[in-house]
Amino acid sequence: MDKILEGLVSSNHSVPVKKAIVKKVVEAAERAVTEDQCQALFTLTTRLILLGEDAFQKQIGSQVLDAYARYHRPEFERFFSKDFVLSLLQQGYGQLDRKDPAIVEYIHCCLRLLISCPSVLEIFSVIQVEVLRMVCERPDPAFCARLSTLLSDFVQCIPRDKSGVLFCQQLVRTISSFHCFASQEQELREYVGQVTKVSALLQNIWKADPATLLPSLQEVFAIIASTDPSFDPSIALASLVQHIPVQMITVLIKSLTTDQNVRDANMTKALCRMIDWLSWPLAQHVDTWVIALLKGLAAVQKFTILIDVTLLKIELVVPHVVDLVQSLRTDGLPTSKAFLLQFTELIHCMMYQYSGFPDLYDNILEAIKDLPKSAEEKIKLVLNQSAWTSQSNSFASGLLKQAGKSETGKTGLVNLGNTCYMNSIIQTLFMATDFRRHVLSLHLNGSNTLMKKLQLLFAFLAHTQRAAYAPRNFLEASRPPWFNMGSQQDCSEYLRFLLDRLHEEEKTLQALDSAKPKAVSPADTSSKDSATTSAQEDNEQTILPLAEAKPGDDTRTLIEKMFGGKLITSICCTLCNCISEKEEPFTDLSLAFCPGTTLQDGPQTQRQSEEPKALCQGSVNGGSEAPEPGSAKAPASNAHFVPVTNEPPLSVPDLVNYFLAPEILDGDNAYFCEKCSSLQRAEKTIKVVSAPEYLILTLLRFSYDAKCHVRRKILDNVTIPPLIRLPVHDPSIPTQCSSSTSSPLQVDSPESSENLAKKLKSSQHDEEEEKARIDGAEEMSRAIQSVPYVLSSVVIHSGISSESGHYYSYGRNINGTDGAQHPDNQYGIKEDLGNAQAESSLYTCSAPSLPREQSETLPNSSQEAKDWLLFNDSRVTFTSFQSVQNITNRFPKDTAYVLMYRKQELPGQSLNGGLMANGMRLSAEPPLQKELLDAIIKDNKLYLQEQELSARTQALQAPSSSCSFRPNGSDDNNPPGSCGPSGGGGGGGGGFNTISRLVF
């Protein structure tokens, strides 16, 4: 019979013929046969079921096996023994692997035929042991699904007692190892169905034996709380949540949030992964558990975890917001429209609370621009309803720790606890190419100065393998004594303190070296020979601008050479025309806003005495002071909002011109004239007589309202031009009172400063005064240079007060070997301006206009997209200058605060070798000195060792089976350069690679 059956399945008969013959064979099998025939028949049917070439052969085998087992039960019981089952589970069958689902399916089929036989109990015992071994081997979803079907039908095969607890834990581990690599919808549905069968098995076990539930949940938490970067648990674990009794939420969450063994980094990781579970297609009650855990953490005041999780998920959630908004718009359901409005409100709340991410939010704003926007008070009310969102936004400085450097190749800076003010300034100084190159070229071996620490920090930013470097040593050395650790501070105040410290430190070293026979300034060590340098500087004096002429023996510090400029403040008595002058050095210009921040129409000749001029002004409680807006009806909030007008927005040249505008000293602020020996009305003027290499401009946005006793932030939008021209005067030319000769600022300014120029014009002059003004202007123009500057960096303050908020910065990415990637001629700036415009550009700060065709193509060019970088603590991304210019329009709380402009090379100033005429431009990055190179190599090796040690440690960690919610192992020690708890701990919870393929 076996030969007949074997010939049948291998013949070329049609299917109906085969079925008829099989029917006769089955009938023959039901009749009495010899023992040898029974053995052959059992072997043949087993081979057909397990090794059949097609479904038809498998069907024939199943039918014959069923007839054989019913009519020859003793023989079938003898052949299908526990030893045969054990060999199938441990060795497989023929070329069929033991992990093939067909093995489990065959055993399942035989158990149904053998259920009434006593020998089946021995088989159950064997299967109980083997299924525990099999799940420990982490089989694939298909095998687990077949095994779950078997165990659901034959619960006697499920391990019991301690083995049952261990089986549940290992089955949870197995589910966490599931991965789906299919791309077709049908395959994805099969995968989800397989996971559902496995989770249903666990549900049945938990119901039958409640003692297995808690250990299983402990295992789930241990898996999702793991901070091992090499382990990525499957999102399939979300299928278990629906089977956990909702009544247990309160007890479990309380136990979890109060367990001292659960570290913050593990809790952060677990919460991130639970949020990812919301994307599982058949997830139920996941949102309930996530909200309960959020509330539980808030109840025990673990706000840092909640804020870190929010920041870690922002970048993962934000890219999908635009698609969701578009989907809600198009489906047309009433519920979708209502949800879209609520969702839009939450989006505005998110952007308000966690500002400082313009590259992430820009597309979202475009998608919801025509939807209603909630008022600021409504947003605050919504945020205050949640315990953690009502906390200080200072936590928003720590974004995710990146596993490797970003595509920019630049290194971020770890936020060490509200140190974004320092990070933004360091990145700004680092992007000042000439300053960075000179710092790196200094020979400071063996010293422990602040400049040495800055040099080491610059070296690490340029060459470390870490994605983000932690500047702990530099923070300790450079932090002003009155800055409290962990508190938000003013970045402009920190910059001023830092530059002053570096300057005074070098002056001290110069004084100590002056007694030696040969003194070399640390700032000049980039030159190989001091005598050659002096001779070169002597030769350079003939081609330097008037404002840059220096003595042959230049003892200026590096800070003076790079950032130092000079102002002359003149006070002219309007009665006797006696002039008092005082020369003052500066490293930055503090630019106040015009009175009331919104300029009024009508002529305005000069600044009034009650508007104090702010020059390198100090700060109060961490914020630079701006003149009081002066409006009695000003709101009492911390932010000053400007009413909408038809006037164009202020620009940087407007504020510079307002800074340089004459100021009338009168009334209570009258000037005591020594010549007149009495208080007299006087005019105070300021002019720049020495232009720095890097012009630092601080916009005084924080003002103190003495009447309301509150500090306000001025949120006016200020246009930031890529190029400006600064009027620099010859200090040898005597100052004249504008009372006798018209003020230079009364000349029409170019388009970029037209708004302010209108306000600074004097009353109508007669023809004689106009002629005198022109004659005087022609004479003065010979002593004034219009020095071009190109934008280098912008520090943005995001927030509504100086005591809170977040700092981040934009920096120009200079790739050229000479560090001059964007000279004037690249922007098409023409020197042959018209007479009126050329005259005006000498007297006023202006923004040269780009040719129309160039201004239209430049922001969208591929090269320009790589020209600018956004530095946000650990995060560094490419951006565009268009983003810099539109930042306040798009995000009203994000305003430019500190700007750095770099002086542009004028024709005829460059020397051979790429060295600028003033000796401050180096042609390329200097080679690393041995001491710096050794430190970087040592740290890079340490970083690799940390990565290897972390991988080995996690690989050796054993699964936890304790009754405490203790994650496996402890990875609480953050490696140097990581963000730590405030930065989110691990790699951002971006695991669950399964979900990226599960799109329904």
Side-chain angles (χ1 to χ4, degrees):
M1 183 172 58
D2 57 336
K3 293 182 180 180
I4 295 175
L5 188 59
E6 186 175 359
L8 169 68
V9 299
S10 61
S11 66
N12 295 322
H13 292 302
S14 62
V15 173
V17 174
K18 288 182 179 181
K19 288 184 177 181
I21 298 176
V22 168
K23 182 178 180 181
K24 293 182 179 180
V25 174
V26 170
E27 291 175 352
E30 295 174 356
R31 295 190 293 268
V33 291
T34 65
E35 183 175 349
D36 291 341
Q37 289 177 329
C38 290
Q39 175 69 46
L41 188 62
F42 178 76
T43 303
L44 180 62
T45 55
T46 301
R47 184 161 60 88
L48 286 174
I49 293 174
L50 295 179
L51 304 177
E53 296 178 357
D54 52 32
F56 180 67
Q57 291 187 8
K58 294 179 182 293
Q59 181 184 2
I60 292 174
S62 298
Q63 292 177 356
V64 175
L65 181 65
D66 181 78
Y68 172 74
R70 280 190 287 119
Y71 292 94
H72 304 281
R73 188 170 297 276
E75 290 80 4
F76 178 73
E77 185 178 359
R78 185 169 60 255
F79 296 140
F80 189 74
S81 63
K82 65 176 183 178
D83 295 331
F84 180 69
V85 172
L86 187 62
S87 67
L88 287 176
L89 295 176
Q90 291 185 351
Q91 301 174 14
Y93 187 83
Q95 69 266 29
L96 194 67
D97 187 77
R98 59 189 173 89
K99 293 184 179 181
D100 194 292
I103 295 288
V104 178
E105 185 177 5
Y106 173 75
I107 295 175
H108 191 186
C109 179
C110 292
L111 286 177
R112 285 199 300 266
L113 300 174
L114 202 65
I115 189 62
S116 60
C117 299
S119 61
V120 76
L121 298 177
E122 295 180 349
I123 297 177
F124 287 161
S125 300
V126 170
I127 295 178
Q128 281 184 357
V129 176
E130 287 302 306
V131 294
L132 180 57
R133 177 191 60 79
M134 287 188 291
V135 296
C136 291
E137 294 177 349
R138 307 291 179 257
D140 59 24
F143 184 88
C144 286
R146 294 302 312 173
L147 186 62
S148 298
T149 303
L150 186 153
L151 296 179
S152 297
D153 289 346
F154 297 97
V155 294
Q156 302 92 332
C157 297
I158 300 175
R160 304 292 180 184
D161 303 326
K162 293 183 179 180
S163 296
V165 173
L166 184 58
F167 174 76
C168 290
Q169 291 177 322
Q170 292 302 319
L171 190 56
V172 168
R173 284 273 168 187
T174 300
I175 295 175
S176 71
S177 67
F178 287 172
H179 294 290
C180 179
F181 302 100
S183 57
Q184 300 298 323
E185 181 177 344
Q186 182 60 34
E187 296 174 335
L188 294 173
R189 291 185 180 277
E190 290 178 0
Y191 170 72
V192 174
Q194 293 163 357
V195 173
T196 302
K197 289 181 179 179
V198 180
S199 64
L201 172 64
L202 274 172
Q203 179 191 21
N204 295 333
I205 297 176
W206 292 343
K207 286 183 178 180
D209 186 5
T212 60
L213 177 58
L214 184 59
S216 301
L217 298 183
Q218 291 170 349
E219 194 69 19
V220 171
F221 182 77
I223 292 171
I224 64 177
S226 173
T227 56
D228 180 6
S230 63
F231 177 62
D232 187 19
S234 172
I235 195 177
L237 286 172
S239 62
L240 300 178
V241 176
Q242 59 185 321
H243 304 310
I244 305 173
V246 180
Q247 299 83 354
M248 298 182 63
I249 288 182
T250 304
V251 176
L252 290 178
I253 295 299
K254 183 177 181 180
S255 174
L256 189 62
T257 55
T258 58
D259 193 337
Q260 299 298 322
N261 295 316
V262 180
R263 295 180 172 86
D264 287 357
N266 301 116
M267 181 63 76
T268 300
K269 202 69 169 176
L271 185 52
C272 284
R273 285 170 171 156
M274 287 181 66
I275 293 174
D276 289 336
W277 286 356
L278 294 168
S279 300
W280 178 254
L282 302 179
Q284 296 181 20
H285 307 309
V286 175
D287 55 341
T288 305
W289 281 91
V290 170
I291 293 173
L293 184 54
L294 292 173
K295 292 181 177 179
L297 291 171
V300 295
Q301 297 186 349
K302 292 188 176 182
F303 300 123
T304 303
I305 296 177
L306 298 170
I307 294 173
D308 287 343
V309 169
T310 303
L311 294 171
L312 288 168
K313 304 312 296 181
I314 280 180
E315 195 172 13
L316 301 177
V317 174
V318 164
H320 304 287
V321 169
V322 175
D323 295 335
L324 179 57
V325 170
Q326 293 175 350
S327 175
L328 293 172
R329 286 177 181 272
T330 55
D331 62 17
L333 298 176
T335 54
S336 298
K337 294 180 179 179
F339 177 75
L340 180 58
L341 295 177
Q342 296 177 358
F343 185 56
T344 303
E345 180 181 76
L346 293 178
I347 290 175
H348 285 296
C349 290
M350 176 186 70
M351 293 188 293
Y352 184 91
Q353 178 70 8
Y354 298 102
S355 55
F357 304 99
D359 55 326
L360 298 179
Y361 295 158
D362 197 62
N363 291 333
I364 297 178
L365 277 178
E366 185 66 25
I368 63 175
K369 62 182 180 181
D370 58 338
L371 294 173
K373 180 181 178 181
S374 301
E376 184 180 6
E377 294 302 323
K378 177 67 178 300
I379 292 177
K380 290 180 179 179
L381 180 62
V382 172
L383 293 174
N384 288 333
Q385 293 174 353
S386 300
W388 62 92
T389 56
S390 63
Q391 301 300 303
S392 171
N393 191 35
S394 58
F395 288 102
S397 54
L399 199 58
L400 71 158
K401 182 184 76 175
Q402 302 174 9
K405 280 193 175 182
S406 67
E407 61 176 348
T408 65
K410 300 296 183 181
T411 304
L413 288 171
V414 176
N415 192 299
L416 303 175
N418 284 328
T419 57
C420 56
Y421 69 90
M422 177 188 71
N423 291 349
S424 59
I425 292 301
I426 290 176
Q427 295 287 17
T428 296
L429 294 176
F430 182 79
M431 295 303 289
T433 307
D434 304 314
F435 178 66
R436 178 184 72 246
R437 291 174 178 176
H438 274 276
V439 170
L440 291 175
S441 66
L442 298 177
H443 295 279
L444 304 170
N445 295 341
S447 66
N448 192 32
T449 61
L450 182 60
M451 181 65 79
K452 177 64 178 180
K453 290 181 172 60
L454 180 62
Q455 184 185 59
L456 185 62
L457 177 55
F458 278 2
F460 273 109
L461 285 177
H463 300 286
T464 184
Q465 293 182 6
R466 302 181 188 274
Y469 181 76
R472 292 183 176 87
N473 293 333
F474 191 78
L475 172 63
E476 290 297 327
S478 64
R479 179 172 58 89
W482 58 91
F483 276 20
N484 296 325
M485 284 294 293
S487 300
Q488 181 65 279
Q489 306 294 344
D490 179 21
C491 73
S492 68
E493 185 179 5
Y494 173 78
L495 173 61
R496 201 171 296 125
F497 176 82
L498 176 62
L499 296 182
D500 185 65
R501 274 280 307 277
L502 294 172
H503 166 73
E504 294 298 331
E505 183 179 83
E506 187 174 347
K507 278 292 187 183
T508 302
L509 293 177
Q510 288 178 354
L512 294 176
D513 292 343
S514 61
K516 299 179 181 180
K518 183 179 181 179
V520 180
S521 171
D524 297 328
T525 54
S526 59
S527 301
K528 296 182 179 180
D529 188 273
S530 59
T532 303
T533 302
S534 299
Q536 185 185 43
E537 291 176 350
D538 289 338
N539 293 332
E540 290 165 2
Q541 307 308 315
T542 58
I543 59 176
L544 282 176
L546 283 172
E548 295 298 325
K550 302 294 177 185
D553 185 15
D554 192 352
T555 60
R556 294 179 300 159
T557 65
L558 178 60
I559 300 302
E560 288 178 308
K561 293 176 182 178
M562 284 293 175
F563 306 103
K566 290 184 179 180
L567 299 170
I568 289 183
T569 303
S570 304
I571 300 179
C572 176
C573 176
T574 57
L575 180 62
C576 64
N577 288 335
C578 178
I579 299 177
S580 172
E581 291 188 341
K582 179 183 179 182
E583 185 177 87
E584 299 175 279
F586 71 91
T587 54
D588 74 316
L589 299 180
S590 298
L591 306 180
F593 285 76
C594 301
T597 67
T598 302
L599 298 176
Q600 303 296 324
D601 293 332
Q604 177 180 338
T605 56
Q606 294 150 325
R607 296 165 51 132
Q608 299 302 314
S609 59
E610 57 269 17
E611 301 162 15
K613 185 182 295 284
L615 170 61
C616 298
Q617 195 168 333
S619 60
V620 178
N621 296 331
S624 300
E625 294 302 305
E628 167 60 31
S631 175
K633 298 182 180 180
S637 63
N638 288 333
H640 178 72
F641 295 92
V642 181
V644 178
T645 65
N646 294 326
E647 293 287 346
L650 290 172
S651 67
V652 172
D654 290 343
L655 298 183
V656 174
N657 288 331
Y658 181 68
F659 175 83
L660 298 175
E663 177 183 355
I664 296 299
L665 306 179
D666 198 4
D668 294 338
N669 199 30
Y671 169 68
F672 183 82
C673 178
E674 295 183 355
K675 184 176 181 180
C676 300
S677 299
S678 61
L679 293 173
Q680 295 293 335
R681 177 184 173 91
E683 181 186 71
K684 179 180 178 181
T685 58
I686 291 179
K687 60 183 180 182
V688 179
V689 296
S690 177
E693 283 295 312
Y694 285 93
L695 177 64
I696 301 176
L697 304 176
T698 302
L699 309 188
L700 298 180
R701 291 190 173 273
F702 302 111
S703 64
Y704 180 74
D705 187 343
K707 297 178 181 179
C708 301
H709 301 288
V710 294
R711 292 172 55 79
R712 296 196 182 97
K713 178 182 177 181
I714 302 173
L715 297 176
D716 294 48
N717 185 20
V718 176
T719 302
I720 305 173
L723 291 155
I724 63 173
R725 290 184 175 274
L726 183 70
V728 180
H729 297 248
D730 183 356
S732 63
I733 303 298
T735 302
Q736 297 183 10
C737 289
S738 62
S739 57
S740 57
T741 61
S742 301
S743 169
L745 290 169
Q746 295 166 357
V747 181
D748 289 340
S749 64
E751 181 181 356
S752 63
S753 53
E754 178 183 357
N755 182 45
L756 184 66
K758 291 180 179 179
K759 311 304 185 262
L760 297 178
K761 285 185 179 180
S762 62
S763 301
Q764 296 294 330
H765 297 282
D766 53 32
E767 295 181 359
E768 291 77 8
E769 290 178 332
E770 182 69 16
K771 185 177 183 300
R773 183 192 66 80
I774 295 176
D775 294 339
E778 291 177 352
E779 181 180 353
M780 291 293 293
S781 64
R782 292 189 293 270
I784 302 177
Q785 289 187 338
S786 183
V787 180
Y789 282 90
V790 65
L791 186 63
S792 173
S793 297
V794 180
V795 178
I796 303 293
H797 178 265
S798 178
I800 58 174
S801 71
S802 60
E803 290 81 9
S804 64
H806 179 55
Y807 290 104
Y808 59 94
S809 63
Y810 290 93
R812 183 184 293 275
N813 188 21
I814 296 180
N815 299 315
T817 57
D818 61 350
Q821 183 179 353
H822 297 290
D824 280 353
N825 54 13
Q826 176 176 342
Y827 290 97
I829 297 175
K830 299 180 180 180
E831 297 297 334
D832 53 341
L833 303 174
N835 292 335
Q837 186 172 351
E839 180 184 333
S840 174
S841 64
L842 289 176
Y843 290 106
T844 63
C845 178
S846 61
S849 301
L850 301 181
R852 179 176 180 180
E853 62 277 4
Q854 189 170 356
S855 62
E856 292 176 352
T857 59
L858 183 62
N860 298 321
S861 65
S862 59
Q863 176 61 35
E864 199 270 344
K866 304 292 185 182
D867 285 350
W868 283 88
L869 299 170
L870 174 60
F871 296 93
N872 197 338
D873 289 332
S874 302
R875 175 185 172 85
V876 185
T877 56
F878 282 120
T879 186
S880 64
F881 181 66
Q882 188 177 15
S883 175
V884 182
Q885 288 184 313
N886 296 335
I887 186 67
T888 306
N889 286 332
R890 307 289 280 177
F891 308 97
K893 289 199 307 176
D894 295 23
T895 54
Y897 187 37
V898 177
L899 299 89
M900 182 178 290
Y901 281 86
R902 179 176 184 261
K903 185 190 295 184
Q904 284 298 284
E905 176 183 353
L906 293 175
Q909 280 190 327
S910 61
L911 300 176
N912 294 334
L915 191 67
M916 289 296 292
N918 53 16
M920 297 314 297
R921 297 284 172 91
L922 299 180
S923 60
E925 297 292 333
L928 276 182
Q929 300 169 33
K930 185 178 184 303
E931 185 179 6
L932 299 176
L933 184 61
D934 291 343
I936 293 172
I937 292 176
K938 181 179 179 180
D939 184 73
N940 284 339
K941 288 181 178 179
L942 178 62
Y943 173 67
L944 295 178
Q945 292 171 359
E946 290 168 357
Q947 299 297 99
E948 295 171 0
L949 179 61
S950 175
R952 289 196 300 267
T953 302
Q954 296 297 336
L956 294 174
Q957 288 178 349
S960 171
S961 59
S962 64
C963 293
S964 169
F965 281 98
R966 183 194 304 270
N968 292 337
S970 59
D971 187 22
D972 196 52
N973 296 325
N974 299 289
S978 71
C979 292
S982 64
F992 304 105
N993 57 11
T994 304
I995 190 59
S996 62
R997 304 178 180 87
L998 287 173
V999 182
F1000 291 91

